[in-house]
Coordinates of all heavy atoms in Angstrom, one line a residue:
M55 N 123.2 81.2 88.0 CA 123.0 81.6 89.4 C 122.7 83.1 89.5 O 122.0 83.5 90.3 CB 124.1 81.1 90.3 CG 123.8 81.2 91.7 SD 122.5 80.2 92.1 CE 122.8 79.9 93.8
A56 N 123.4 83.8 88.6 CA 123.2 85.3 88.6 C 121.7 85.6 88.3 O 121.1 86.5 88.8 CB 124.1 85.9 87.7
A57 N 121.1 84.8 87.3 CA 119.8 85.1 87.0 C 118.8 84.9 88.1 O 117.9 85.6 88.3 CB 119.3 84.2 85.8
V58 N 119.1 83.9 88.9 CA 118.3 83.6 90.1 C 118.4 84.7 91.2 O 117.3 85.2 91.6 CB 118.6 82.3 90.8 CG1 118.0 82.1 92.1 CG2 118.3 81.1 89.9
K59 N 119.5 85.3 91.4 CA 119.8 86.3 92.3 C 119.2 87.5 91.8 O 118.5 88.3 92.6 CB 121.3 86.5 92.5 CG 121.9 85.5 93.3 CD 123.5 85.8 93.6 CE 124.1 84.6 94.3 NZ 125.4 84.8 94.5
R60 N 119.3 87.8 90.5 CA 118.6 89.0 89.9 C 117.2 88.9 90.0 O 116.5 89.8 90.4 CB 119.1 89.3 88.5 CG 118.6 90.5 87.9 CD 119.1 90.7 86.4 NE 119.0 89.6 85.6 CZ 119.9 88.9 85.0 NH1 121.1 89.2 85.2 NH2 119.6 87.9 84.3
G61 N 116.6 87.8 89.7 CA 115.2 87.6 89.8 C 114.6 87.7 91.2 O 113.6 88.3 91.4
L62 N 115.4 87.2 92.2 CA 115.0 87.3 93.6 C 115.1 88.8 93.9 O 114.2 89.2 94.7 CB 116.0 86.5 94.5 CG 115.6 86.6 95.9 CD1 114.2 86.0 96.2 CD2 116.7 85.7 96.7
A63 N 116.0 89.5 93.5 CA 116.1 91.0 93.9 C 114.9 91.7 93.3 O 114.4 92.6 94.0 CB 117.5 91.6 93.3
Y64 N 114.6 91.5 92.0 CA 113.3 92.0 91.5 C 112.1 91.6 92.2 O 111.2 92.6 92.5 CB 113.2 91.7 90.0 CG 114.2 92.2 89.1 CD1 114.8 91.5 88.1 CD2 114.5 93.5 89.2 CE1 115.7 92.1 87.1 CE2 115.5 94.2 88.3 CZ 116.1 93.3 87.3 OH 116.9 93.8 86.4
R65 N 112.0 90.5 92.6 CA 110.8 90.1 93.4 C 110.7 90.7 94.7 O 109.6 91.3 95.0 CB 110.7 88.5 93.5 CG 110.5 87.7 92.1 CD 110.4 86.3 92.4 NE 111.3 85.7 93.3 CZ 111.2 84.6 93.9 NH1 110.2 83.7 93.3 NH2 111.9 84.1 94.8
L66 N 111.9 90.7 95.4 CA 111.9 91.4 96.6 C 111.6 92.9 96.5 O 110.8 93.5 97.3 CB 113.1 91.1 97.4 CG 113.3 89.7 97.9 CD1 114.8 89.6 98.4 CD2 112.4 89.4 99.0
G67 N 112.2 93.5 95.4 CA 112.0 95.0 95.3 C 110.5 95.3 95.0 O 109.9 96.3 95.7
W68 N 109.9 94.5 94.1 CA 108.5 94.8 93.8 C 107.6 94.5 95.0 O 106.7 95.3 95.4 CB 108.0 94.0 92.6 CG 108.4 94.6 91.3 CD1 109.3 94.3 90.4 CD2 107.9 95.9 90.7 NE1 109.5 95.1 89.3 CE2 108.5 96.2 89.6 CE3 106.9 96.8 91.3 CZ2 108.3 97.2 88.8 CZ3 106.7 97.9 90.5 CH2 107.3 98.1 89.2
S69 N 107.9 93.5 95.8 CA 107.1 93.1 96.9 C 107.3 94.2 98.0 O 106.3 94.6 98.7 CB 107.5 91.7 97.5 OG 107.2 90.7 96.6
A70 N 108.6 94.8 98.2 CA 108.6 95.8 99.2 C 107.9 97.1 98.9 O 107.4 97.8 99.6 CB 110.2 96.1 99.3
F71 N 107.8 97.3 97.5 CA 107.1 98.4 96.9 C 105.7 98.2 97.3 O 105.0 99.2 97.8 CB 107.3 98.5 95.4 CG 106.4 99.6 94.8 CD1 106.7 100.9 95.0 CD2 105.4 99.2 93.9 CE1 105.9 101.8 94.4 CE2 104.6 100.2 93.4 CZ 104.9 101.5 93.6
A72 N 105.0 97.2 97.1 CA 103.7 96.9 97.5 C 103.4 96.9 98.9 O 102.5 97.5 99.4 CB 103.3 95.5 96.9
V73 N 104.3 96.5 99.7 CA 104.1 96.6 101.2 C 104.3 98.1 101.6 O 103.5 98.4 102.5 CB 105.2 95.7 101.9 CG1 105.3 96.0 103.4 CG2 104.9 94.2 101.6
A74 N 105.1 98.8 101.0 CA 105.1 100.2 101.4 C 103.7 100.9 101.0 O 103.2 101.7 101.8 CB 106.2 100.9 100.6
L75 N 103.2 100.6 99.9 CA 102.0 101.1 99.5 C 100.8 100.7 100.4 O 100.0 101.4 100.7 CB 101.5 100.7 97.9 CG 102.3 101.5 97.0 CD1 101.9 100.9 95.6 CD2 102.2 103.0 96.9
A76 N 100.9 99.4 100.9 CA 99.9 98.9 101.9 C 100.1 99.6 103.2 O 99.0 100.0 103.8 CB 100.2 97.4 102.1
A77 N 101.3 99.9 103.6 CA 101.5 100.7 104.9 C 100.8 102.1 104.8 O 100.2 102.5 105.7 CB 103.0 100.7 105.2
Y78 N 101.0 102.7 103.6 CA 100.6 104.0 103.4 C 99.0 104.0 103.3 O 98.3 104.8 103.9 CB 101.1 104.6 102.1 CG 100.6 106.0 101.8 CD1 100.9 107.1 102.7 CD2 99.8 106.3 100.8 CE1 100.4 108.3 102.5 CE2 99.2 107.5 100.5 CZ 99.6 108.6 101.3 OH 99.1 109.9 101.1
S79 N 98.5 102.9 102.8 CA 97.0 102.8 102.7 C 96.4 102.6 104.1 O 95.4 103.1 104.4 CB 96.6 101.7 101.8 OG 96.9 102.1 100.4
V80 N 97.1 101.8 104.9 CA 96.6 101.6 106.3 C 96.8 102.8 107.1 O 95.7 103.3 107.8 CB 97.5 100.6 107.0 CG1 97.3 100.4 108.5 CG2 97.1 99.2 106.4
Y81 N 97.7 103.7 106.9 CA 97.9 105.0 107.5 C 96.7 105.9 107.2 O 96.1 106.5 108.1 CB 99.2 105.6 107.1 CG 99.4 107.1 107.5 CD1 99.7 107.4 108.8 CD2 99.2 108.0 106.6 CE1 99.8 108.7 109.2 CE2 99.3 109.3 107.0 CZ 99.5 109.7 108.3 OH 99.7 111.1 108.7
L82 N 96.3 105.9 105.9 CA 95.3 106.7 105.4 C 93.9 106.2 106.0 O 93.1 107.0 106.4 CB 95.2 106.7 103.9 CG 96.2 107.5 103.1 CD1 96.1 107.3 101.7 CD2 96.3 108.9 103.6
G83 N 93.8 105.0 106.1 CA 92.6 104.4 106.6 C 92.3 104.6 108.1 O 91.3 104.9 108.5
L84 N 93.4 104.5 108.9 CA 93.3 104.7 110.3 C 93.3 106.1 110.7 O 92.8 106.5 111.8 CB 94.5 104.1 111.0 CG 94.6 102.5 110.8 CD1 95.8 102.1 111.6 CD2 93.4 101.9 111.4
N85 N 93.5 107.1 109.8 CA 93.6 108.5 110.1 C 92.3 109.2 109.3 O 92.4 110.3 108.8 CB 94.8 109.2 109.6 CG 95.9 108.9 110.5 OD1 95.7 108.9 111.7 ND2 97.2 108.6 110.0
G86 N 91.3 108.5 109.3 CA 90.0 109.1 108.9 C 89.7 109.0 107.4 O 88.7 109.6 106.9
G87 N 90.4 108.1 106.7 CA 90.3 108.0 105.3 C 89.1 107.1 104.8 O 88.7 107.1 103.7
G88 N 88.8 106.2 105.8 CA 87.7 105.2 105.6 C 88.3 103.8 105.4 O 89.4 103.6 105.2
W89 N 87.3 102.9 105.5 CA 87.6 101.5 105.4 C 88.1 101.1 104.0 O 88.7 100.1 103.9 CB 86.5 100.6 106.0 CG 86.4 100.7 107.5 CD1 85.4 101.5 108.2 CD2 87.2 100.2 108.4 NE1 85.8 101.3 109.5 CE2 86.8 100.5 109.7 CE3 88.3 99.2 108.3 CZ2 87.3 100.0 110.9 CZ3 88.9 98.9 109.5 CH2 88.5 99.2 110.7
S90 N 87.7 101.8 103.0 CA 88.1 101.4 101.7 C 89.6 101.5 101.6 O 90.3 100.7 100.7 CB 87.5 102.2 100.7 OG 87.9 103.7 100.8
H91 N 90.3 102.3 102.3 CA 91.8 102.4 102.3 C 92.3 101.1 103.0 O 93.4 100.7 102.5 CB 92.2 103.6 103.1 CG 92.1 104.9 102.4 ND1 92.9 105.2 101.2 CD2 91.1 105.8 102.5 CE1 92.5 106.4 100.8 NE2 91.4 106.8 101.5
V92 N 91.8 100.7 103.9 CA 92.2 99.4 104.6 C 92.0 98.2 103.6 O 92.9 97.3 103.5 CB 91.5 99.1 105.9 CG1 91.9 97.7 106.5 CG2 91.7 100.2 106.9
A93 N 91.0 98.3 102.8 CA 90.7 97.2 101.8 C 91.9 97.3 100.7 O 92.3 96.3 100.2 CB 89.3 97.3 101.2
T94 N 92.1 98.5 100.4 CA 93.2 98.8 99.4 C 94.5 98.3 99.9 O 95.3 97.7 99.2 CB 93.3 100.4 99.1 OG1 92.0 100.8 98.5 CG2 94.4 100.6 98.1
A95 N 94.9 98.5 101.3 CA 96.0 98.0 101.9 C 96.0 96.4 101.8 O 97.1 95.9 101.4 CB 96.1 98.4 103.3
L96 N 94.9 95.7 102.0 CA 94.9 94.3 101.9 C 95.2 93.9 100.4 O 95.9 92.9 100.2 CB 93.6 93.9 102.3 CG 93.4 92.3 102.3 CD1 94.5 91.6 103.1 CD2 92.0 91.9 102.7
A97 N 94.7 94.7 99.4 CA 94.9 94.4 98.0 C 96.4 94.5 97.7 O 97.0 93.7 97.0 CB 94.1 95.3 97.1
W98 N 97.2 95.6 98.3 CA 98.5 95.6 98.0 C 99.3 94.6 98.8 O 100.3 94.1 98.1 CB 99.0 97.0 98.6 CG 98.7 98.1 97.6 CD1 97.8 99.2 97.8 CD2 99.1 98.3 96.2 NE1 97.7 100.0 96.7 CE2 98.5 99.5 95.7 CE3 99.9 97.6 95.4 CZ2 98.7 99.8 94.5 CZ3 100.0 98.0 94.0 CH2 99.5 99.1 93.7
V99 N 98.8 94.1 99.9 CA 99.6 92.9 100.5 C 99.4 91.7 99.6 O 100.4 91.0 99.4 CB 99.0 92.6 101.9 CG1 99.5 91.4 102.5 CG2 99.4 93.9 102.8
L100 N 98.3 91.5 99.0 CA 98.1 90.4 98.0 C 98.9 90.5 96.9 O 99.4 89.5 96.3 CB 96.6 90.3 97.7 CG 95.6 89.7 98.8 CD1 94.2 89.8 98.3 CD2 96.1 88.4 99.3
F101 N 99.0 91.8 96.4 CA 100.0 92.0 95.2 C 101.4 91.6 95.7 O 102.2 91.1 94.9 CB 99.9 93.4 94.7 CG 98.8 93.7 93.7 CD1 97.8 94.6 93.9 CD2 98.7 92.9 92.5 CE1 96.9 94.9 93.0 CE2 97.7 93.1 91.6 CZ 96.8 94.1 91.9
A102 N 101.8 92.0 96.8 CA 103.2 91.7 97.3 C 103.4 90.2 97.3 O 104.5 89.7 96.8 CB 103.4 92.3 98.7
V103 N 102.5 89.5 97.8 CA 102.5 88.0 97.8 C 102.6 87.5 96.3 O 103.5 86.6 96.1 CB 101.4 87.3 98.5 CG1 101.3 85.9 98.4 CG2 101.4 87.7 100.0
S104 N 101.8 88.0 95.5 CA 101.7 87.6 94.1 C 102.9 87.8 93.3 O 103.5 87.0 92.6 CB 100.5 88.2 93.4 OG 100.5 87.9 92.1
W105 N 103.5 89.0 93.6 CA 104.8 89.3 93.0 C 106.0 88.5 93.4 O 106.8 88.3 92.7 CB 105.0 90.9 93.0 CG 104.1 91.7 92.3 CD1 103.4 91.3 91.2 CD2 103.7 93.0 92.5 NE1 102.5 92.3 90.7 CE2 102.8 93.4 91.5 CE3 104.1 94.0 93.4 CZ2 102.2 94.7 91.5 CZ3 103.5 95.2 93.3 CH2 102.6 95.6 92.4
F106 N 105.9 88.2 94.7 CA 106.9 87.3 95.3 C 106.9 85.8 94.7 O 107.9 85.2 94.6 CB 106.9 87.4 96.8 CG 108.2 86.6 97.4 CD1 109.4 87.3 97.3 CD2 108.2 85.4 97.8 CE1 110.5 86.7 97.9 CE2 109.3 84.8 98.3 CZ 110.4 85.4 98.4
L107 N 105.7 85.5 94.4 CA 105.5 84.1 93.9 C 105.9 83.9 92.4 O 105.9 82.8 92.0 CB 104.1 83.6 94.2 CG 103.6 83.4 95.5 CD1 102.1 83.0 95.6 CD2 104.4 82.2 96.1
Q108 N 106.3 84.9 91.7 CA 106.6 84.8 90.4 C 107.9 83.8 90.2 O 108.8 84.0 91.0 CB 107.0 86.1 89.8 CG 105.9 87.1 89.6 CD 104.8 86.6 88.7 OE1 105.1 85.9 87.7 NE2 103.6 86.9 89.1
P109 N 107.8 82.9 89.3 CA 108.9 82.0 89.2 C 110.2 82.7 88.6 O 110.0 83.6 87.9 CB 108.4 81.0 88.2 CG 107.4 81.6 87.4 CD 106.7 82.7 88.4
V110 N 111.2 82.1 89.0 CA 112.6 82.6 88.5 C 113.2 81.5 87.6 O 113.2 80.3 87.8 CB 113.6 82.9 89.6 CG1 114.9 83.3 89.1 CG2 113.0 83.9 90.6
A111 N 113.7 82.0 86.4 CA 114.3 81.0 85.5 C 115.8 80.9 85.9 O 116.6 81.8 85.6 CB 114.1 81.6 84.1
P112 N 116.3 79.9 86.4 CA 117.6 79.7 86.8 C 118.7 79.7 85.6 O 119.7 80.1 85.8 CB 117.7 78.4 87.6 CG 116.5 77.6 87.1 CD 115.5 78.6 86.8
S113 N 118.3 79.1 84.5 CA 119.2 79.1 83.4 C 118.8 80.1 82.3 O 119.5 80.2 81.3 CB 119.1 77.7 82.8 OG 117.9 77.5 82.2
G114 N 117.8 80.8 82.6 CA 117.5 82.0 81.5 C 116.6 81.3 80.5 O 116.1 82.0 79.5
D115 N 116.2 80.0 80.5 CA 115.5 79.4 79.4 C 114.0 79.6 79.8 O 113.3 80.5 79.3 CB 115.7 77.9 79.3 CG 117.1 77.7 78.8 OD1 117.7 78.6 78.2 OD2 117.8 76.6 79.1
A116 N 113.4 78.7 80.5 CA 112.0 78.6 80.9 C 111.9 78.8 82.3 O 112.8 78.4 83.1 CB 111.3 77.3 80.3
P117 N 110.8 79.6 82.8 CA 110.6 79.7 84.2 C 110.5 78.3 84.9 O 109.8 77.4 84.3 CB 109.3 80.6 84.4 CG 109.0 81.0 83.0 CD 109.8 80.2 82.0
V118 N 110.7 78.2 86.2 CA 110.5 77.1 87.0 C 109.0 77.0 87.3 O 108.4 77.9 87.6 CB 111.3 77.2 88.3 CG1 111.0 76.0 89.1 CG2 112.8 77.3 88.0
A119 N 108.5 75.7 87.0 CA 107.1 75.6 87.3 C 106.8 75.7 88.8 O 107.6 75.1 89.5 CB 106.7 74.2 86.8
G120 N 105.8 76.5 89.1 CA 105.5 76.8 90.4 C 104.0 76.6 90.5 O 103.3 76.0 89.7
A121 N 103.5 77.2 91.6 CA 102.0 77.2 91.9 C 101.4 78.2 91.1 O 100.9 79.3 91.7 CB 101.8 77.3 93.3
A122 N 101.3 78.1 89.7 CA 100.7 79.1 89.0 C 99.2 79.3 89.3 O 98.8 80.5 89.3 CB 100.8 78.7 87.4
G123 N 98.5 78.4 89.7 CA 97.1 78.6 90.0 C 97.0 79.4 91.3 O 96.1 80.3 91.4
L124 N 97.8 79.2 92.3 CA 97.8 80.0 93.4 C 98.2 81.4 93.1 O 97.4 82.3 93.7 CB 98.8 79.4 94.5 CG 98.9 80.3 95.8 CD1 97.7 80.3 96.6 CD2 100.1 79.7 96.7
R125 N 99.3 81.6 92.3 CA 99.6 82.9 92.1 C 98.6 83.6 91.3 O 98.3 84.9 91.5 CB 100.9 82.9 91.1 CG 101.6 84.1 90.9 CD 102.9 84.1 90.2 NE 102.7 83.6 88.8 CZ 103.1 82.3 88.5 NH1 103.7 81.5 89.3 NH2 102.8 81.9 87.2
N126 N 97.9 83.0 90.4 CA 96.9 83.6 89.5 C 95.6 83.9 90.4 O 95.0 85.0 90.3 CB 96.5 82.7 88.4 CG 97.5 82.7 87.3 OD1 98.4 83.5 87.2 ND2 97.4 81.6 86.5
G127 N 95.4 83.1 91.4 CA 94.2 83.3 92.2 C 94.5 84.5 93.2 O 93.6 85.4 93.4
V128 N 95.6 84.6 93.7 CA 96.0 85.8 94.6 C 96.1 87.0 93.7 O 95.6 88.1 94.2 CB 97.4 85.5 95.2 CG1 98.0 86.7 95.9 CG2 97.3 84.3 96.1
T129 N 96.5 87.0 92.5 CA 96.5 88.2 91.7 C 95.2 88.7 91.3 O 94.8 89.8 91.4 CB 97.3 87.9 90.4 OG1 98.6 87.6 90.8 CG2 97.3 89.2 89.5
I130 N 94.3 87.7 91.0 CA 92.8 88.0 90.7 C 92.2 88.6 92.0 O 91.4 89.6 91.8 CB 92.1 86.9 90.2 CG1 92.7 86.6 88.8 CG2 90.6 87.0 90.1 CD1 92.1 85.2 88.2
A131 N 92.3 88.0 93.1 CA 91.9 88.5 94.3 C 92.3 90.0 94.6 O 91.5 90.7 95.0 CB 92.1 87.6 95.5
A132 N 93.5 90.1 94.4 CA 94.1 91.6 94.7 C 93.4 92.6 93.7 O 93.2 93.7 94.1 CB 95.6 91.5 94.5
V133 N 93.4 92.2 92.4 CA 92.8 93.2 91.5 C 91.3 93.4 91.8 O 90.9 94.6 91.9 CB 93.0 92.6 90.0 CG1 92.1 93.4 89.0 CG2 94.4 92.6 89.6
V134 N 90.5 92.4 92.2 CA 89.1 92.6 92.5 C 89.0 93.4 93.7 O 88.2 94.4 93.8 CB 88.4 91.2 92.6 CG1 87.1 91.4 93.3 CG2 88.3 90.5 91.4
L135 N 89.8 93.2 94.7 CA 89.8 93.9 96.0 C 90.2 95.5 95.7 O 89.6 96.4 96.2 CB 90.7 93.4 97.0 CG 90.5 93.8 98.5 CD1 89.1 93.6 98.9 CD2 91.4 92.9 99.3
L136 N 91.3 95.6 94.9 CA 91.7 97.0 94.7 C 90.7 97.7 93.9 O 90.3 98.9 94.3 CB 93.1 97.0 93.9 CG 93.7 98.3 93.6 CD1 94.0 98.9 94.9 CD2 94.9 98.1 92.8
V137 N 90.2 97.2 92.8 CA 89.2 97.8 92.0 C 87.9 98.1 92.8 O 87.3 99.1 92.8 CB 88.8 97.0 90.7 CG1 87.7 97.6 90.0 CG2 90.1 97.0 89.8
G138 N 87.5 97.1 93.6 CA 86.3 97.3 94.4 C 86.4 98.4 95.5 O 85.5 99.2 95.7
S139 N 87.6 98.4 96.1 CA 87.8 99.5 97.1 C 87.9 100.9 96.5 O 87.4 101.9 97.0 CB 89.0 99.3 98.0 OG 90.2 99.3 97.1
L140 N 88.4 100.9 95.3 CA 88.5 102.3 94.5 C 87.0 102.7 94.1 O 86.7 103.9 94.2 CB 89.3 102.1 93.4 CG 90.9 102.1 93.6 CD1 91.7 101.9 92.4 CD2 91.3 103.3 94.5
V141 N 86.2 101.7 93.7 CA 84.8 102.0 93.2 C 83.9 102.5 94.5 O 83.3 103.5 94.4 CB 84.2 100.9 92.6 CG1 82.7 101.0 92.4 CG2 84.8 100.6 91.2
V142 N 84.2 101.8 95.6 CA 83.5 102.2 96.9 C 83.9 103.6 97.2 O 83.0 104.5 97.7 CB 83.7 101.1 98.0 CG1 83.2 101.8 99.3 CG2 83.0 99.8 97.7
R143 N 85.2 103.8 97.2 CA 85.7 105.2 97.5 C 85.2 106.3 96.6 O 84.8 107.4 96.9 CB 87.2 105.2 97.6 CG 87.8 106.4 98.2 CD 89.3 106.3 98.3 NE 89.7 105.1 98.8 CZ 90.8 104.3 98.3 NH1 91.5 104.8 97.4 NH2 91.1 103.2 98.9
W144 N 85.1 106.0 95.2 CA 84.6 106.9 94.3 C 83.1 107.2 94.4 O 82.7 108.3 94.3 CB 84.9 106.4 92.9 CG 84.5 107.3 91.8 CD1 85.0 108.5 91.5 CD2 83.5 107.0 90.9 NE1 84.3 109.1 90.4 CE2 83.5 108.1 90.1 CE3 82.6 106.0 90.6 CZ2 82.6 108.2 88.9 CZ3 81.9 105.9 89.5 CH2 81.9 107.1 88.7
L145 N 82.3 106.1 94.7 CA 80.9 106.2 94.8 C 80.4 106.8 96.1 O 79.5 107.6 96.2 CB 80.1 104.9 94.5 CG 80.3 104.4 93.1 CD1 79.6 103.0 93.1 CD2 79.6 105.3 92.1
F146 N 81.0 106.5 97.1 CA 80.5 106.7 98.6 C 81.3 107.6 99.4 O 81.0 108.1 100.4 CB 80.2 105.4 99.4 CG 79.3 104.5 98.7 CD1 79.7 103.3 98.1 CD2 77.9 104.8 98.4 CE1 78.8 102.4 97.5 CE2 77.0 104.0 97.8 CZ 77.5 102.8 97.2
G147 N 82.6 107.8 98.9 CA 83.6 108.6 99.6 C 84.1 108.0 101.0 O 84.3 108.9 101.9
V148 N 84.0 106.7 101.1 CA 84.5 106.1 102.5 C 85.7 105.2 102.2 O 85.8 104.8 101.2 CB 83.4 105.3 103.1 CG1 82.3 106.3 103.6 CG2 82.8 104.3 102.2

């Protein structure tokens, strides 16, 4: 049970970190930073969801089978959106 609580704490911690980065990106986007910051914020929200969906191993052996396809899809979408927004910001400055 301790492994589950520790795993949940890590998932909540990383998700909170991603949400904080998303809030900062929204702040930058709304204060003249451009729409690419809002896209970056959406990517961080997707990372928060993806990190929260990580399975926890209750006995320390093997992770509990979860929606691996959903988690992988959300992670790939977040990476594509984050890289795309950074490239747009780098090329066009918006």
Side-chain angles (χ1 to χ4, degrees):
M55 191 60 154
V58 172
K59 288 181 182 177
R60 187 176 51 242
L62 181 60
Y64 288 139
R65 294 184 322 167
L66 288 174
W68 280 110
S69 294
F71 173 71
V73 168
L75 288 174
Y78 181 67
S79 294
V80 167
Y81 169 77
L82 290 176
L84 294 178
N85 287 318
W89 286 102
S90 64
H91 286 286
V92 177
T94 300
L96 180 58
W98 284 118
V99 168
L100 290 175
F101 274 125
V103 169
S104 171
W105 290 337
F106 188 76
L107 289 175
Q108 292 297 323
V110 177
S113 65
D115 296 333
V118 175
L124 174 64
R125 188 177 63 249
N126 291 339
V128 170
T129 302
I130 290 169
V133 168
V134 168
L135 192 57
L136 183 63
V137 170
S139 66
L140 292 175
V141 167
V142 166
R143 194 174 312 139
W144 180 65
L145 289 177
F146 304 109
V148 292

